[in-house]
Amino acid sequence: MHRLVVFLVGWLLCQPLVAQEAPLQVAGATTVNVMQAKHLHDHGALFIDVRPAREWGWGHVEGAIHLDLRWHFASLAQVPWPREVPLVIYCDSEVCAQSAVAVEQAVGWGFTRVFYFRGGYFAWQLFDMPSSKGSTNERLALSSPDP
């Protein structure tokens, strides 16, 4: 009995350390897979990486902007862009719920073309999609929405 109690206490203490899966969908947004994300990338959608700066520096979607969810993402609410700008928001993978939180906020701020890239940067890398490291010589370009 003592072993069972020790096991259960240990198991309960470790629960916060277990990564929780991100939701499959976010209300008001469209969930996209890596191939759909690549199509959006090819057509000028704005990719937003919400991971911490250290992870951004290790690599990110080519052309993405970095708005760390914890420190900078809220500034998106004040940006005077048209709310129809297509935004693809991502973090690491399906076990990173930060992108879901960011997507929910963007939808709440009135952005109407928000895409939730749930697979995130890990899926992007797995399919060998265009990536960058750091922020040297990167440029930001926005395209107008398709008719």
Side-chain angles (χ1 to χ4, degrees), residues 72-92:
H72 303 292
F73 189 76
S75 65
L76 185 64
Q78 306 304 318
V79 175
W81 295 338
R83 292 312 196 221
E84 299 81 29
V85 170
L87 305 177
V88 180
I89 300 174
Y90 72 94
C91 59
D92 281 337

Side-chain angles (χ1 to χ4, degrees), residues 42-121:
D42 290 346
H43 288 87
L46 177 61
F47 277 65
I48 301 176
D49 188 318
V50 297
R51 298 175 300 156
R54 179 184 64 186
E55 294 175 32
W56 160 266
W58 293 338
H60 53 270
V61 171
E62 184 178 80
I65 62 170
H66 181 237
L67 294 176
D68 182 324
L69 179 65
R70 188 170 179 190
W71 303 109
H72 303 292
F73 189 76
S75 65
L76 185 64
Q78 306 304 318
V79 175
W81 295 338
R83 292 312 196 221
E84 299 81 29
V85 170
L87 305 177
V88 180
I89 300 174
Y90 72 94
C91 59
D92 281 337
S93 66
E94 293 94 356
V95 295
C96 176
Q98 293 178 25
S99 56
V101 171
V103 164
E104 193 173 83
Q105 289 178 355
V107 168
W109 296 328
F111 286 95
T112 59
R113 297 180 69 203
V114 182
F115 298 91
Y116 171 41
F117 182 21
R118 185 174 179 265
Y121 186 63

Side-chain angles (χ1 to χ4, degrees), residues 11-69:
W11 182 76
L12 289 173
L13 290 175
C14 291
Q15 286 306 300
L17 302 176
V18 175
Q20 293 193 3
E21 198 167 315
L24 295 174
Q25 299 176 355
V26 176
T30 303
T31 302
V32 295
N33 63 32
V34 69
M35 299 311 290
Q36 293 165 319
K38 175 66 164 88
H39 178 79
L40 289 163
H41 185 266
D42 290 346
H43 288 87
L46 177 61
F47 277 65
I48 301 176
D49 188 318
V50 297
R51 298 175 300 156
R54 179 184 64 186
E55 294 175 32
W56 160 266
W58 293 338
H60 53 270
V61 171
E62 184 178 80
I65 62 170
H66 181 237
L67 294 176
D68 182 324
L69 179 65

Side-chain angles (χ1 to χ4, degrees), residues 56-57 60 64-66 132-139:
W56 160 266
H60 53 270
I65 62 170
H66 181 237
S132 297
K133 289 189 178 184
S135 58
T136 307
N137 297 324
E138 291 192 70
R139 297 173 189 219

